[in-house]
Amino acid sequence: MDPATGKEAFVAAEPGGFLEGLADRHVLETAAVLVAVVGAVLEEGRACDVELAAFVRPLHAALEECVGVMAEWG
C-alpha cells in the first residue's frame, strides 16, 4: 500500500536495490524491537514459563530473518 495515497502499488524489486535494502532494514528494526521487549520482560524477572515460552516462536522467526539478511550481505 502506498502510504501517501492508500492505493495498492506493485513494483519489481531488483536484488541489492533500494526496496531490498528497505526490507532488510525493516527486518532488523523489527528484531531490535523484539529484543528490547524480551529484554525488558527478562529484566523484570516476574514472567512465568508460559509467558516466556510465548516469545520462542517470534524470536526464532526474527533470528531466521536476520540470518537471511546476513546471508544476502555476503
Side-chain angles (χ1 to χ4, degrees), residues 35-59:
V35 166
V37 169
V38 172
V41 168
L42 292 174
E43 192 173 292
E44 185 68 28
R46 297 188 316 194
C48 70
D49 289 345
V50 173
E51 292 169 324
L52 293 174
F55 288 116
V56 171
R57 287 190 187 275
L59 283 171

Side-chain angles (χ1 to χ4, degrees), residues 11-42:
V11 297
E14 56 187 73
F18 172 77
L19 292 177
E20 187 173 339
L22 192 61
D24 289 350
R25 189 171 72 213
H26 178 72
V27 164
L28 297 175
E29 288 173 351
T30 301
V33 169
L34 183 58
V35 166
V37 169
V38 172
V41 168
L42 292 174

